[in-house]
Every structure is written in C-alpha cells, then in structure tokens.
Amino acid sequence: MKKKFIGIAAVAAALVLAMGVLTGCGSSSSSSAASASASESASSAADSGAVFRTLDEIKDSGKLVIGVFSDKNPFGYVDENGEYAGYDVELANKLGEELGVEVEFVSTEAASRVEFLQTGKVDIILANFTVTPERAEQVDFADPYMNVALGVVSHNDNVITSLDQLGPDDQVIVITGTTAETYLTKNYPDIKLQKYDTYASAKTAFENKNGVAWANDNTEVIAFANQGEGYTVGIEELGDFDTIAPAVSKGNDTLLAWINETMEKLGSEKFFHADYEKTLLDVYGADYEDTLVVEPGQAAAK
C-alpha cells in the first residue's frame, strides 16, 4: 500500500511545481485574550468583508495569533504538560521566531477555520488546512508544506477497501467542515454520513463502532491506525491528491507575502523534513517522509 501511496504523491509533487482555549510554547494569555489581540487593531478588507491585522500591526503588537488543532496528534495537540505540540505547531513557533514576536495559540475545530480568519480571531490558520478551490474563494492560502489525500479507516473485523462495499444502512463517520465531508456528500450522496464537530468525538464514535468506517485526511487515519490496534486503512487514497498550506484572511496581502517569503527560506533550510523527523517519524516511519513533505521552493529536488 505504501508503494501505491508514494506513486500518487510523486504525481502530486509535480503538480505542485506547476501550480486556545489552551496556550503554550511561549504563549502567556488565554485564547479569548488572543482573539482580542488579533481583532482590536484589525483592518477590514473592503472587497471581501474579511477582518485582519496587517503584518505591521502584528509586529507592533508583538504577538502573532495562530489557530491550530488541540486534539489531532501528531499535527496539533496539547501534550501532557499542557503545551501545544505537533507538526503544525512547530511551524507556528518557527514563524513567530522568524518574525520576532510571541506566538499565541487559539484552538480551532475544522468547521471554524474559515470563520476564525474572517472575523479576525486569528492571524493565521495552521490546522491541517487542505487547499481547495472553494476554500480559496474565502481565504488566501500560502505555499503548501504537505501532500495529502483522503483515506478511510475501518475495523479489522470488517475492513473497507472500497466504498462499493457499503450497504444501505452502513454509516461513515466524518468531521464537519472537512474535505472528507465535502467529497462524500458530492460524489457519494447515497452514503449515510455520521457527522461530528471534533476530531476527539469522531475518534470516540469510531472506536465504539458507531460507524463502519471513518473518512478523513489519509495522514490522520494512517496515524490513527498506526497508533492503535484493531484498525486498518483499507483505502489510502480517495479522490484527488491535494496539499496542506497556511491560510490568512482574504486580502491580507502583506502577511501572505511575508509567509511565502519565510516558507521559501525554511524550504531552503529543509525545515519541514526536520519537522517531520521530530514530530511524525515515529508515527509514519521514514518511508513516508518524502511522500508527505513539501519544502516550499524546493519541490524540484523531491
């Protein structure tokens, strides 16, 4: 299955060329305070209605407010010390370091990511945000830093290797606001979806066999299956292969330009491979590293 996954990812890499409630890791305020700091000096984008702080306003405040997941290990989660950790969090902290400001984290759910940007609650979203044309109409994406497709995990006593196996009464678990929900709703309208607002609630429902399968980003379902027992990712790729990228409010050109410039610098330093080896290697192993990692500005080297 890994060879197939890697083959698809190679195509994806070529395409890339063509086209708080809790705080931690340097944060000293609650997510509500972080939200306030992001919106007090916010500017409105007249053409989109979005609310945001410019790069200069962020610098002047001394704080960069970033929305991350708090329950999606190993990408964004709160560790045993009550601090944010994970692949996306490492990038968040690095951006704060490069800008010379403190990072404040705001915990977000999948369905809240666009809203948090549009209302000025956060400056940047770094929460496994898959780039899609629909989302690009609502927010501005920076350069990608990871490849992703959809995947489906099921229980070992009933491994789902094709959606054609699903019966009329079978239900597939999805998280509201994810590409999995959008894809299945559009392409498989007859499949019954069991929707949850949070990763944690979807995980619990699946563990309790409230659904025959769970569809989500393949990076997440593979991590889930590898970290537990009794589960198999029977479908490693479903639909198109996409990328994950930072997002900012529509029209926040100064912040977007700075992120892209910084991402290219980090790419030249192989930051994202180092991030993978620090946060994802134990989950995915070395075989997936070049499959998943995108070094901005360095795609040709892959």
Side-chain angles (χ1 to χ4, degrees):
M1 291 194 300
K2 289 182 179 179
K3 290 182 178 179
K4 180 183 176 186
F5 184 79
I6 292 170
I8 296 293
V11 176
L15 291 176
V16 169
L17 276 175
M19 27 161 253
V21 177
L22 297 170
T23 60
C25 302
S27 172
S28 60
S29 302
S30 68
S31 62
S32 59
S35 174
S37 68
S39 58
E40 282 174 357
S41 60
S43 302
S44 293
D47 56 345
S48 68
V51 177
F52 58 76
R53 299 191 303 163
T54 65
L55 182 64
D56 285 342
E57 288 173 328
I58 293 169
K59 288 180 179 178
D60 289 343
S61 75
K63 293 180 181 179
L64 179 63
V65 185
I66 301 180
V68 295
F69 286 130
S70 60
D71 61 355
K72 284 191 177 182
N73 187 350
F75 295 97
Y77 64 99
V78 177
D79 65 17
E80 62 276 8
N81 298 316
E83 296 187 341
Y84 281 94
Y87 186 78
D88 290 340
V89 173
E90 289 291 318
L91 174 57
N93 284 320
K94 187 63 175 178
L95 291 178
E97 177 185 322
E98 292 289 325
L99 192 57
V101 298
E102 187 178 351
V103 174
E104 290 187 352
F105 291 106
V106 174
S107 176
T108 183
E109 305 298 346
S112 302
R113 291 174 293 193
V114 170
E115 175 194 349
F116 277 19
L117 286 173
Q118 292 179 334
T119 59
K121 189 169 185 177
V122 300
D123 300 311
I124 304 172
I125 284 288
L126 287 176
N128 262 169
F129 211 6
T130 302
V131 179
T132 68
E134 296 78 13
R135 289 171 175 170
E137 293 179 358
Q138 299 177 293
V139 302
D140 284 337
F141 285 102
D143 293 335
Y145 60 94
M146 177 170 272
N147 293 314
V148 68
L150 296 179
V152 178
V153 61
S154 47
H155 297 268
N156 284 350
D157 58 3
N158 183 26
V159 177
I160 303 299
T161 58
S162 169
L163 294 180
D164 294 335
Q165 292 176 238
L166 298 175
D169 296 324
D170 291 334
Q171 296 188 28
V172 175
I173 292 171
V174 296
I175 300 171
T176 303
T178 60
T179 50
E181 179 196 21
T182 302
Y183 176 83
L184 292 176
T185 299
K186 178 180 179 180
N187 295 284
Y188 294 89
D190 294 333
I191 291 180
K192 294 182 179 179
L193 301 182
Q194 194 173 130
K195 302 180 182 182
Y196 294 89
D197 291 333
T198 67
Y199 182 89
S201 59
K203 173 178 176 289
T204 299
F206 177 65
E207 290 173 338
N208 292 334
K209 293 192 173 183
N210 290 349
V212 298
W214 179 12
N216 207 347
D217 286 354
N218 59 0
T219 51
E220 293 172 9
V221 296
I222 291 170
F224 172 80
N226 286 351
Q227 291 174 317
E229 294 183 359
Y231 311 105
T232 297
V233 180
I235 304 176
E236 285 196 348
E237 299 118 24
L238 181 65
D240 295 332
F241 212 96
D242 296 308
T243 57
I244 289 173
V248 302
S249 294
K250 199 75 176 172
N252 196 350
D253 298 335
T254 58
L255 181 57
L256 182 66
W258 176 82
I259 293 174
N260 281 333
E261 179 181 339
T262 304
M263 294 277 283
E264 185 169 349
K265 174 179 179 291
L266 296 180
S268 69
E269 298 169 355
K270 300 298 182 185
F271 168 83
F272 294 93
H273 277 80
D275 191 0
Y276 179 99
E277 290 165 12
K278 180 178 180 179
T279 62
L280 304 184
L281 185 63
D282 288 346
V283 176
Y284 296 104
D287 289 346
Y288 280 125
E289 183 168 350
D290 287 335
T291 299
L292 296 178
V293 173
V294 174
E295 297 283 4
Q298 305 296 309
K302 287 188 63 177

